[in-house]
Amino acid sequence: MILILDFGSQYTQLIGRRVREAHVYCEIHPFDIAPEKIRAMKPRGIILSGGPSSLYDAGAPDIKDEVLNLGCPVLGICYGLYVIAQHLGANSVGAPAREYGPATLVIDQPDPLFDGIAGREQRVWMSHGDRVEQIPGTLVPIAHSENSPHAAFRTRDGRLRGIQFHPEVAHTPCGSQILRNFVLRICGEPGDWTMANFVETKLAEILSRVGSHDRVVMGLSGGVDSSVAAVLIHRAIGTRLDCVFVDTGLLRAGERQRMEQLFAHQLGLNLKVVDASDLFLARLEGVLDPEQKRRIIGHAFIELFEREAALLGGARFLGQGTLYPDVIESVSFKGPSQVIKSHHNVGGLPERMRLELIEPLRELFKDEVRELGRELGLSADVVDREPFPGPGLAVRIVGEVTRERLDLLRRADQIVMQEVAAAGIAPRIWQAFAVLLPLKTVGVMGDGRSYESVIAIRAVESHDGMTADWARLDPAFLARVSSRITNETKGVNRVVYDITSKPPATIEWE
């Protein structure tokens, strides 16, 4: 495996993705993990991520010397470069001109890191305000940029390397090849980690943890994540998995009927449907803050699952479809990356629960979950389904959640789904949905003045949900959606289209 040490970069998870794309298993851990734990993992290589800190900051994050002396190759990226440079006695200073964005990397020396990359000059993505000014004789400079005389270097024995730029982002076209060169050529990984390996490993883990008698109760939402997790757990322990689908009243149109048909009848899972719409709506009454909404929903889910576990014969475990992006954005699971929002099945969980969590997808990205679903034999209508937030339409209603506002949004959202399907654009977008805004505007309907609600349409393109760009949809498509919503959804007289990328925005509005 490859170990990635997180110094807080917003791109740390992308490093993991690129390594996984090379069919190499990797894990992300905090930068200050104990060296003895690293030694026990026996990594074939270590990658030090970037981070928002400067070496000159008080208490700047650092590693112990021992980490660089474990015998395996080490690659420092951006801040990771400074860490290596500092430990080896190089002189780093504040750069006279900061580099944020595209830059030209000039390769000065041949190096296995750059094998297979045509041309001496490469377009790369920089994000730094410091630079390595002088290096000791133990280091060899291998590349520079206009503002960084040592934008890449290696030790003379070739075991340690540092690069100033970010190879993990799409803005560095040669970046994937650089990371492949590091893990395959320099670290000697065979590149044979597959989803079939993951299935075999996870089935053994689940069975070992649950044992031969305990039961698991699974919160099944019908989305890709919980569906794949449920099928994986079911394959490990069979009928000792009890799936509970909670009708929260916050669902899309027709979702309950779809769940009963697909999971109970087609897949043969034990499925119990619990109608708890009155409970959720009562607890959300008057709540405006999105984080509070998520916490309320998360606590209510756990209460229901613990109650159902008791009714189903005392299940000890709660299964969830938590993914790596959920964890990164919610609770900074591994390393100091900044918390963005809580998810109801991560940051929204109560501190004390009677159930132990089983989260077999916790280290996977969304596209890997889809690949896992296909490996498990799930159909395209399950695997390729677009993401839907755990808190449901509650976080697509900006402001208070009421039954009336839910009905209004549900009608508008159904039109969006119908038109996306009819236009055949679902494969090219990550997701598309409607959002109900907490304001009204003046309009003219039927030759009279109207004062009604506003619906925002959100459609994005993404590979993993960690970053996203707004979808450039055909204006004729948007006009058709707008016309249908204003004509068929009573209470709406205006439709707007969200053209904000992530970052700076998130995909969901709350």
Side-chain angles (χ1 to χ4, degrees), residues 165-182:
F165 57 93
H166 287 272
E168 67 272 26
V169 302
H171 304 296
T172 301
C174 61
S176 292
Q177 182 63 42
I178 287 173
L179 288 173
R180 285 178 61 86
N181 287 339
F182 177 71

Side-chain angles (χ1 to χ4, degrees), residues 192-263:
D192 59 358
W193 183 78
T194 65
M195 201 50 69
N197 300 142
F198 180 85
V199 170
E200 183 179 346
T201 300
K202 281 298 172 182
L203 289 176
E205 283 183 13
I206 294 167
L207 187 57
S208 173
R209 186 165 177 215
V210 177
S212 57
H213 301 291
D214 280 321
R215 304 186 70 84
V216 177
V217 60
M218 176 87 195
L220 190 57
S221 70
V224 178
D225 310 335
S226 67
S227 300
V228 172
V231 171
L232 184 62
I233 295 172
H234 181 261
R235 184 165 294 188
I237 64 172
T239 56
R240 289 187 290 129
L241 170 68
D242 295 297
C243 294
V244 177
F245 173 69
V246 179
D247 185 349
T248 61
L250 309 171
L251 304 173
R252 285 178 152 178
E255 190 64 16
R256 179 170 177 169
Q257 293 77 11
R258 171 186 174 272
M259 292 293 299
E260 292 174 328
Q261 175 62 32
L262 175 62
F263 291 93

Side-chain angles (χ1 to χ4, degrees), residues 285-353:
E285 184 177 355
V287 177
L288 303 180
D289 179 69
E291 285 296 286
Q292 189 178 357
K293 287 181 186 178
R294 290 175 179 272
R295 286 191 294 270
I296 288 171
I297 292 169
H299 285 227
F301 265 118
I302 295 303
E303 286 180 26
L304 287 168
F305 292 143
E306 289 182 336
R307 185 190 71 190
E308 292 303 320
L311 294 175
L312 291 167
R316 177 183 165 193
F317 298 94
L318 169 66
Q320 290 197 143
T322 308
L323 301 194
Y324 185 74
D326 297 339
V327 175
I328 282 290
E329 291 189 343
S330 298
V331 291
S332 194
F333 166 57
K334 293 178 176 176
S337 304
Q338 185 175 0
V339 171
I340 296 172
K341 62 186 176 183
S342 63
H343 289 251
H344 83 282
N345 58 340
V346 184
L349 295 180
E351 293 183 4
R352 295 183 179 180
M353 295 194 330

